[in-house]
Amino acid sequence: MTDRVLLVTDPGTDPHYAAGHVERPERREAAAAGVRDAAGGRLLERGAAPADHRLLSGVHDAGYLAALEEIERGGGGWLDSDTYLVEGSSEAARLAAGATVEAARAAVEGVAAVAFAVARPPGHHAAAARGSGFCLLNNVAIAVAALRGAGLARRIAIVDWDVHHGDGTQAIFDADPEVWYGSTHQQPLYPGTGARSESGSGAAAGTKQNRLLAPGSGDGEFTAAWRDDLMPALEAFAPQAILVSAGYDAHRDDPLASLLVTEAGYAAVAREVGRASARMGLGGVALTLEGGYDLDALRASAAVTVRGLIAGRAEPVPE
Ligand SMILES: [Zn+2]
């Protein structure tokens, strides 16, 4: 079993920037540095290829994709009070999606034990026909479409430990019984969705699992939610791939939330995910960067995530 770490990151995403906005290019360098810190000699690093239009169309409505291009051609603008496009934003979004696709493929194919797409803009608030919450394209959903299109995986689990609920991701897969989605998120907080009762519709009932955490919860409750509750449910679902929406805005130093998670919490949850992936015989775990707005916390948390996943995967698998 490989212990390689693949980092997919691309400076082509950096032109996506609005002065003073917290979702800024320095985040990419900070998180990438954290992955490099942890990977050491096991590191493979690649740039990204933009996701092609056919792949985007598998997730997003044609009218929405056309509107994004039109806004950018017109000099940029705001989709809502948080979410902007400037010249280069569409390319950045396609590169972020492409990086996530690349990481997902590498993990499923066993090229890397940990494959981390460190790209932006993030994706989990983007729904099929709507961008919001800094997100233009839903990177993790596009990776699901790519794995399915390539015949690499059908049943896929999405682990979303960003401090915000991934409302876009849940909406896209709400009625899909072959996508398991698990999320811990602070409540009350943007976007306000993600009640425990939102568990999937129709044949997908029970495949979406939301766990709300009160402000100030800290490592104990964050770790327990994953270790004792969500990860056993993920394993029972028996996915063929695990994709992580890796946001680091639950960190105690983050300016946007107050969940008070530390590096120890991220390390512990990553270890659980790594352990589960090995028990299920998966080739690796793929991650894509979501939120996280304190640069030092981002670097340190990305590093402990990689170390935790590797450590979890290296543990002996019981018979
Ligand atoms: Zn977030």
Side-chain angles (χ1 to χ4, degrees):
M1 198 158 60
T2 182
D3 67 349
R4 292 263 185 195
V5 175
L6 174 66
L7 168 63
V8 188
T9 194
D10 200 297
T13 59
D14 294 349
H16 177 68
Y17 177 58
H21 201 291
V22 69
E23 202 292 280
R24 58 207 192 277
E26 291 80 4
R27 300 179 60 247
R28 184 182 71 82
E29 210 33 67
V35 175
R36 292 186 196 107
D37 293 343
R42 296 175 295 218
L43 182 72
L44 301 167
E45 185 167 337
R46 295 182 197 153
D52 65 36
H53 196 82
R54 186 186 46 79
L55 209 44
L56 306 186
S57 304
V59 170
H60 293 286
D61 290 2
Y64 171 65
L65 294 172
L68 290 182
E69 284 173 25
E70 201 173 311
I71 292 168
E72 185 169 334
R73 266 200 309 274
W78 292 78
L79 299 183
D80 62 22
S81 59
D82 299 321
T83 314
Y84 62 90
L85 278 100
V86 295
E87 192 181 344
S89 290
S90 294
E91 176 73 2
R94 290 176 63 218
L95 283 167
T100 307
V101 169
E102 173 91 12
R105 291 190 64 125
V108 172
E109 292 177 328
V111 172
V114 177
F116 207 141
V118 174
R120 44 177 294 283
H124 74 156
H125 297 302
R130 181 178 56 92
S132 67
F134 315 163
C135 302
L136 300 176
L137 300 176
N138 194 304
N139 301 320
V140 77
I142 291 165
V144 168
L147 291 178
R148 287 174 164 179
L152 290 169
R154 186 82 220 156
R155 289 176 71 77
I156 297 170
I158 299 170
V159 166
D160 189 337
W161 67 52
D162 188 280
V163 78
H164 302 97
H165 178 238
D167 52 340
T169 307
Q170 179 170 298
I172 288 165
F173 296 115
D174 187 59
D176 188 330
E178 294 188 300
V179 171
W180 183 92
Y181 174 80
S183 173
T184 47
H185 42 276
Q186 180 182 315
Q187 202 76 295
L189 192 66
Y190 177 92
T193 54
R196 201 176 167 109
S197 58
E198 296 173 25
S199 60
S201 60
T207 58
K208 312 297 177 285
Q209 305 214 357
N210 291 298
R211 298 295 177 264
L212 285 62
L213 299 174
S217 286
D219 288 339
E221 288 182 52
F222 176 71
T223 304
W226 287 102
R227 184 193 56 223
D228 304 335
D229 186 359
L230 293 171
M231 288 311 296
L234 181 152
E235 279 199 71
F237 177 78
Q240 296 158 319
I242 299 176
L243 309 180
V244 181
S245 270
Y248 295 102
D249 36 14
H251 194 281
R252 70 176 169 200
D253 294 339
D254 196 90
L256 297 196
S258 43
L259 210 51
L260 308 185
V261 170
T262 72
E263 285 87 337
Y266 289 118
V269 172
R271 196 170 179 125
E272 294 294 331
V273 174
R275 192 182 284 145
S277 74
R279 272 199 295 258
M280 293 187 289
L282 303 183
V285 175
L287 307 95
T288 188
L289 183 64
E290 300 284 1
Y293 304 97
D294 179 89
L295 298 180
D296 293 337
L298 196 48
R299 179 173 183 162
S301 301
V304 299
T305 297
V306 172
R307 290 196 189 100
L309 286 164
I310 297 278
R313 287 180 61 81
E315 287 179 14
V317 175
E319 289 299 315

